[in-house]
């Protein structure tokens, strides 16, 4: 038996989970801030009439990267935010216009 083969019965494996559950976990927001940033990215991209595919090609990243950013699962690096702002012809600060209440830690 190959000891490097993944064990399908290990805790945390995707066995028995519906594909939609796995995808939802993959794209689940990590925090309210990342969710808000992702929503802003999506809103601004759509307002500029740029598809996910078009944005991914302009940034030279895979489509799933754009999806993860827009879902809030991950955040773009600062240099990517600057590139996105340039593509969208907006100031970088517009992408970071997030509700300040999301930035305060919960008690």
């Amino acid at each position: 038996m190959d000891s490097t083969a993944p064990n399908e019965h290990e805790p945390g494996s995707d066995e028995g989970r519906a594909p939609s559950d796995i995808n939802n976990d993959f794209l689940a927001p990590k925090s309210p801030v990342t969710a808000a940033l992702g929503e802003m990215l999506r809103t601004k991209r759509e307002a500029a009439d740029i598809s996910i595919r078009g944005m991914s090609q302009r940034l030279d990243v895979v489509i799933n990267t754009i999806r993860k950013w827009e879902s809030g699962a991950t955040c773009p690096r600062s240099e990517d935010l600057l590139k996105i702002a340039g593509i969208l012809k907006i100031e970088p600060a517009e992408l970071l216009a997030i509700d300040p209440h999301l930035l305060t830690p919960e008690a």
Side-chain angles (χ1 to χ4, degrees):
M1 180 178 212
D2 182 7
S3 63
T4 62
N7 183 348
E8 294 179 351
H9 301 290
E10 289 181 3
S13 75
D14 294 331
E15 183 181 358
R17 295 178 66 192
S20 61
D21 292 340
I22 296 166
N23 193 37
N24 288 339
D25 289 348
F26 178 71
L27 296 176
K30 299 298 181 201
S31 75
V33 173
T34 60
L37 175 59
E39 179 65 22
M40 183 65 73
L41 291 169
R42 185 188 60 76
T43 300
K44 297 292 186 179
R45 177 185 56 76
E46 289 176 348
D49 200 29
I50 299 173
S51 68
I52 290 177
R53 180 179 300 280
M55 184 63 80
S56 72
Q57 290 171 341
R58 291 177 189 194
L59 292 169
D60 196 27
V61 298
V62 297
I63 291 171
N64 275 344
T65 298
I66 304 295
R67 288 186 178 128
K68 289 189 322 188
W69 290 344
E70 291 185 358
S71 71
T74 62
C75 288
R77 297 175 303 181
S78 56
E79 56 266 25
D80 289 326
L81 282 173
L82 293 173
K83 290 177 189 176
I84 291 166
I87 291 167
L88 298 175
K89 298 181 171 98
I90 61 174
E91 291 295 320
E94 287 184 61
L95 294 173
L96 302 174
I98 297 172
D99 180 354
H101 293 96
L102 296 175
L103 301 176
T104 54
E106 295 181 21

